[in-house]
Amino acid sequence: LEGLLGDSADHHAQELQSLKAAHAKIEAAHGKHAKDLEGLRALHSHHASVGERLDYIEKSIGDSADAHAAEVEKLRAAHAKHAAALDKHAKDAGAALSAHATVNERIV
């Protein structure tokens, strides 16, 4: 009976040692994964989220569009000013030409 119990105790001791080794291996792997996860969290904290990136792009495009619209408005105002000056010049030139006599009118 002692032989059977001794063999059983040896067998249980071997199984227990095997389980302890497997547990130690799993703990080591878990520690590595936990360390990797912390590294990923640290990297993630340095990156802008998709929403933040989209907000930045929309702001940049909006600012560019606003600046473009303001520049177009300035060009339209300058064009209107030049068109008014051209009309005035055309009227002044027409009035000046109507006041001049032709050569035939001066001779006669």
Side-chain angles (χ1 to χ4, degrees), residues 46-101:
H46 294 295
H47 286 287
S49 69
V50 173
E52 291 169 336
R53 291 177 185 203
L54 186 58
D55 289 343
Y56 173 77
I57 290 170
E58 287 175 344
K59 182 184 178 302
S60 295
I61 290 173
D63 291 350
S64 177
D66 292 342
H68 179 73
E71 190 65 30
V72 167
E73 190 57 38
K74 286 180 190 176
L75 288 172
R76 284 184 179 154
H79 182 264
K81 181 180 174 183
H82 290 143
L86 182 62
D87 287 343
K88 183 180 180 300
H89 177 70
K91 288 178 186 175
D92 291 346
L97 287 175
S98 67
H100 288 282

Side-chain angles (χ1 to χ4, degrees), residues 1-33:
L1 186 61
E2 287 180 8
L4 285 174
L5 288 177
D7 289 343
S8 179
D10 290 340
H11 180 70
H12 285 294
Q14 284 178 341
E15 286 294 321
L16 185 59
Q17 188 62 31
S18 174
L19 286 173
K20 285 182 180 180
H23 183 67
K25 185 178 178 182
I26 289 172
E27 278 186 343
H30 182 269
K32 181 184 179 302
H33 290 306

